[in-house]
Amino acid sequence: MRTKLQVVTFAVFASLALAQTPSIVATVFTTTLGEQNVKTPEVSTEALRGVLADGSALVLDARPHMEWATSHIPGALNVAPKPGVSMSQYVSDTHEIERLVQGEKGKALVLYCNGPMCGKSKRLSEDLLKEGFTNVRRYQLGAPVWRALGEVMETEGDGAKYVYAADRTARWVDARDRAAFAAASLDGAVNITLSDVAKAKDDGRLPMEDHNTRVIVFGESASQARTVAQEIAKNAFHNVSYYPGSYEQLRAALR
């Protein structure tokens, strides 16, 4: 019979052996918050990337509309709030989600909100379970960790209008070529093409003294804007989003 000390020693060595096995070593991209006694499972950043790539689940932003519109994970949807709930206890309306999935309560859902300290996605997940939804998971690391790991966000038209009017510290980046930028652009915008990102760190176009500055990239298309936004994010700017439309559409949204 093993003694208690032998059992503990065996467990420690087993843990060390597992930690040294490359195939099962956790990374910052594969980890979760790991909360105990929760009613719905978590997904990692890597798993969420997979879901967004293959469309295997509907990703829902559990925050208020303007937070979503200002800066959300690309591909995430947002619904109206539950009626009669205070802002401090904000939660999305499960009936709106039921309409969104056309009554398919077995639909795979992934929820997120403002990270480990935010309760919005957890409250929503529990409400969904009460309403009979059966396939609900949470990206509890949320928007802050998504950005911190080099990912970009998406800014909707009404969110862009809100930021343009209210946030004078935001840096607007025009990703179009120099000729298009010279012809017309947003007041105060800087021109940074994909090949310009490294140089822009030295000439003042990127805010090197505050990498938390909100950076919003726009261009001829969503693809162009997103590509430049991703390159900026790779340079340790962790509050980067892009506008998913053309420059002309952005100008119209700002009116």
Side-chain angles (χ1 to χ4, degrees), residues 53-72:
D54 63 22
S56 56
L58 188 66
V59 179
L60 294 172
D61 187 317
R63 302 175 301 164
H65 172 81
M66 190 50 70
E67 277 198 277
W68 169 82
T70 298
S71 180
H72 65 82

Side-chain angles (χ1 to χ4, degrees), residues 169-181:
T169 69
R171 187 66 54 93
W172 292 82
V173 172
D174 188 333
R176 298 174 302 155
D177 63 39
R178 289 178 179 83
F181 173 74

Side-chain angles (χ1 to χ4, degrees), residues 140-154:
Q140 193 60 50
L141 296 175
V145 175
W146 178 261
R147 294 198 308 264
L149 294 181
E151 298 290 351
V152 299
M153 306 288 270
E154 188 173 278

Side-chain angles (χ1 to χ4, degrees), residues 9 14 17 21 36 56 62 87 95 98 138 149 163 177 205 214 216 219 221 227 246 253:
T9 303
T21 304
Q36 301 298 308
S56 56
M87 185 56 77
H95 299 297
E98 186 174 352
R138 291 171 296 113
L149 294 181
V163 172
D177 63 39
R205 283 176 288 169
R214 188 196 304 274
I216 302 179
S221 65
T227 299
S246 67

